């Protein structure tokens, strides 16, 4: 999947409800040894999508992954000096973490 600095791996799994193509950051060697927990699946690929040319509309976010990601960020963000400095610069004590799909709180869209 293009657009990531880190490689994204495709797997075909059945967590119940039929086999589906899913995306994860976990490398195949690790998955073979340990398995792929549903929390490690970033997204499920839309049936019929071209897995070699995926777009945002072709994937559905995995709520279990988002909850895990949010928890990890929440528990560790305070240890990041760069984030603390940026919060001080903004003056609100907040730093907005955004991805390329949504705009920022002022309504500016992704570039």
């Amino acid at each position: 999947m293009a657009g990531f600095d880190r490689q994204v791996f495709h797997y075909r799994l059945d967590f119940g409800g039929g086999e589906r193509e899913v995306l994860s950051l976990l490398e195949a060697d690790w998955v073979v040894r340990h398995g792929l927990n549903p929390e490690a699946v970033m997204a499920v690929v839309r049936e019929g999508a071209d897995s070699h040319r995926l777009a945002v509309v072709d994937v559905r976010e995995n709520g279990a992954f988002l909850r895990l990601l949010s928890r990890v960020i929440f528990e560790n963000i305070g240890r990041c000096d760069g984030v603390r400095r940026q919060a001080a610069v903004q003056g609100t004590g907040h730093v907005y973490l955004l991805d390329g799909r949504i705009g920022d709180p002022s309504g500016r869209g992704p570039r």
Side-chain angles (χ1 to χ4, degrees):
M1 187 167 179
F4 290 96
D5 291 335
R6 180 161 169 51
Q7 187 172 356
V8 175
F9 298 89
H10 297 240
Y11 299 100
R12 290 207 60 86
L13 298 173
D14 186 348
F15 290 121
E19 191 174 88
R20 301 295 304 265
E21 182 176 5
V22 299
L23 305 175
S24 178
L25 296 173
L26 296 180
E27 297 177 357
D29 290 344
W30 197 95
V31 170
V32 167
R33 285 192 310 269
H34 305 284
L36 187 59
N37 186 294
E39 288 183 324
V41 171
M42 295 186 312
V44 177
V45 177
R46 178 181 55 82
E47 201 64 41
D50 179 355
S51 62
H52 299 292
R53 297 178 51 92
L54 291 175
V56 172
V57 297
D58 294 326
V59 296
R60 187 184 77 238
E61 298 169 332
N62 177 17
F65 173 79
L66 293 177
R67 286 187 296 278
L68 173 65
L69 178 63
S70 293
R71 188 176 78 230
V72 169
I73 291 170
F74 176 79
E75 291 174 357
N76 295 283
I77 195 100
R79 299 179 195 165
C80 181
D81 292 335
V83 172
R84 286 199 310 269
R85 280 192 303 275
Q86 187 61 38
V89 167
Q90 290 185 26
T92 62
H94 294 82
V95 174
Y96 297 99
L97 303 176
L98 306 172
D99 64 28
R101 298 167 297 161
I102 58 174
D104 66 15
S106 69
R108 291 183 300 228
R111 293 186 178 154

